[in-house]
Amino acid sequence: MAALWTLLFCLVWPACLALTPPAELPQPHNLPPVLGMNSSDGSPSVDVPMALRVFSMDYHHVQAPFEIVLWIMLASLAKLGFHWSGRVPAVVPESCLLIMVGLLVGGVIYGVRHSAPPTLSADAFFLFLLPPIVLDAGYFLPGRLFFENLGTILWYAVLGTLWNVLGIGLSLYGVCLLAQNSLGDVSLLHCLLFGSLIAAVDPVAVLSVFQEMHVNDQLHILVFGESLLNDAVTVVLYKLFESFLRLPTVSGLDVLLGGCRVVVVGLGGLFVGLFFGLLAALTSRFTSRAQVIAPLFVFLYSYLSYLTSEMLHLSGIMAIVTCAVTMKQYVEANVSERSNTSIQYFLKMWSSVSETLIFIFLGVSTIQDVHMWSWPFVCSTLLLCLIWRASGVLLLTAVVNKLRRNAVTFRDQFIIAYGGLRGAICFSLVFLIDDFPKKRLFITTTIVVILFTVFVQGMTIKPLVELLDVKRKKRALPTVSEEIHSRLIDYLLAGIEDVVGYWGQHYWKDKFEQFNRKYLRRFLIREDHQARSSILRVYQELERREQRGDEETPPLVDPRSHSRPLLPGEMDSIRRILSRNLQSFNNKQTPAYSRHTLNQDANKDRMRKPLHRHQSLGERYTFTQQAEDGEFSGSGRPRKGLSRSHTVCSISPRPVFQETSVSPASAQTAETPNSSSTSREDPVSVQNQTTVGGAPRKHLSFVLENEEK
């Protein structure tokens, strides 16, 4: 562990020196003039160096990629050191430790250069670091849980975000009016702009904390889905208020057009992502002869959807999430298993590196000279963020619980409200604000809120989950039987909704599955990769989950693998117990169900004895004296006392008996001395051996024991 931190320090120090401005670097005195230029008048010429150099260095030629590699190496070693730091991961979240490493690196850089360290620019964050994280979250999004809770997620993400933005913005404007001396130059639109960025719940911080706690699936998808869509709403509102600030006056028509713009931006990103997702699925259909480049199309189309949305001023987050969700099932069916593994590991690696860099740069960027402090504004912002989020979750959940079958419990509501962690989204947005006198105050307040939510709430949420005994996630992967029963219930509920005329989520889900199976899968998936059976498709999906170790599921240990073989005496004891229990089960007075005798006499049913045992195929019926005396009627129908389990054992359709009555005389005539093997054969068994269409029938034969003996 000490060697790892030593290596980390050895990388930090060259990185700090590498970030020294070019003006401060010492210039050598005997450098030769640049080839091809005259040193006096700048005219082209050919200069010959004074002497041949054995060793030379040109750092500026590789400065940009060299520093990028150093930062990635620093972030990776910090993450590696975190997981090898003993019991620290059980107490401190990974995001907290990475921010602490960033603070340390920023302090070292500030001490060496005596100036502010480099900050994470908004363009670098939104164009290079955020897309891999959102793509990984959308590609591995649990589709069933997400779409089952989509209404609740949209309820929290849209109405909850509007509630927080308006509540925080208006409340902060009231604080500014009360403190006219220090905050009098902050307008209402500036407060609403700051409220829109400070209300952004960061999915990076939420994922890094909630994945370590393994909460139940419903709570995890509500928090994560709300944070994912919350970013799209907050970015749209931020750009809307930013446009309002640049207008000379804001009228009612501008507000109406702003509301229309929010809808257009959200739906536009949705349709852009849907288009590129279907295009990626269609392209993957023709990659059978070039499987090496098949994973490349997943990354290219996803990133292209994000860039296209940003170019059209639409929601890039919505576009890349929709693209990932749309193309996943079709791409996985078209490409090989090795390509699927490559996609999964590359997405995880790419998102992990981006997440680590974001948290380190959050710590580095905190060491700045631009801070401005105001106790009323900072404390009020921190308190209002907690109050408005908690009140919004309670009010919105009280409404949505009336429409949900599985209500969100109070414990889950507390975790949802407490899990509103802020991160790099609001940190990047605050630097995009146009310059005005209180911009430095906004930056300082944003950093304080981020550090408080990540350190205080992120470190205490795990003990609170254990204290409140919140339901945890089922660690084992579902079996094929569980998936089949789940689909059976889905079909049953869809049929019930169709019968009663209610168009619920199961009805629309069933209609989409029919459309998907009839049109989309036939058009987007190759013929040789289309599963003919839905059970086979379920099995393939579970097999892919098991291969990639989905959601860090621990391997299932078979309890029989470490058990000793049973001894012969133990086997005999088990056989005796099973035989005794089976005999007791057969002795139960359980009448068989028959739709022809629903109103039969209870006493008569109680006196009937069920069948005890049956023999192998091909044997004939043998009847006791009790059966000959009237257990079977003259119509040739079998007795009603046959248990249901024996009728299920038949390997052929139920025999069709003749309805004509058989007299006792004819039965006696059938008994001849020459046919001793059939002397005790009932006319029913003779009828069972008749042929239908020239093919003989085979039925199970039963031996009836005399119960009176």
Side-chain angles (χ1 to χ4, degrees), residues 277-342:
L278 294 176
L279 193 60
L282 182 62
T283 306
S284 66
R285 179 177 181 176
F286 303 100
T287 58
S288 58
R289 300 184 180 181
Q291 289 285 345
V292 178
I293 63 173
L296 187 61
F297 292 108
V298 175
F299 312 128
L300 291 180
Y301 280 114
S302 302
Y303 194 48
L304 192 59
S305 67
Y306 184 85
L307 294 179
T308 304
S309 299
E310 292 294 325
M311 178 181 63
L312 299 175
H313 296 285
L314 302 175
S315 177
I317 297 176
M318 187 72 70
I320 196 170
V321 170
T322 307
C323 179
V325 173
T326 302
M327 70 178 174
K328 180 186 177 181
Q329 60 170 323
Y330 308 112
V331 169
E332 286 185 344
N334 283 326
V335 302
S336 62
E337 291 298 330
R338 292 184 178 180
S339 299
N340 276 322
T341 305
S342 301

Side-chain angles (χ1 to χ4, degrees), residues 206-250:
V206 171
L207 274 178
S208 62
V209 172
F210 274 78
Q211 281 182 349
E212 301 174 4
M213 295 189 302
H214 301 289
V215 295
N216 61 82
D217 294 330
Q218 176 177 294
L219 178 58
H220 182 270
I221 198 63
L222 287 179
V223 176
F224 171 64
E226 186 261 341
S227 65
L228 194 62
L229 299 182
N230 170 276
D231 289 339
V233 178
T234 51
V235 171
V236 172
L237 292 176
Y238 175 86
K239 294 181 178 179
L240 177 63
F241 291 127
E242 189 180 32
S243 302
F244 285 165
L245 276 173
R246 295 172 182 174
L247 294 176
T249 57
V250 179

Side-chain angles (χ1 to χ4, degrees), residues 608-626:
R608 269 203 313 266
K609 300 295 183 181
L611 194 62
H612 265 224
R613 57 191 175 91
H614 63 83
Q615 295 182 356
S616 61
L617 297 176
E619 296 182 6
R620 300 173 180 176
Y621 285 100
T622 304
F623 298 97
T624 59
Q625 186 67 30
Q626 178 184 0

Side-chain angles (χ1 to χ4, degrees), residues 58-68:
D58 188 3
Y59 172 72
H60 296 288
H61 180 64
V62 295
Q63 180 178 3
F66 186 77
E67 292 179 0
I68 292 174

Side-chain angles (χ1 to χ4, degrees), residues 504-520:
Q505 63 174 358
H506 294 91
Y507 174 83
W508 291 111
K509 181 181 178 182
D510 183 65
K511 293 299 181 184
F512 174 75
E513 288 294 335
Q514 293 179 9
F515 178 77
N516 185 29
R517 184 173 58 253
K518 189 175 181 180
Y519 298 105
L520 294 181

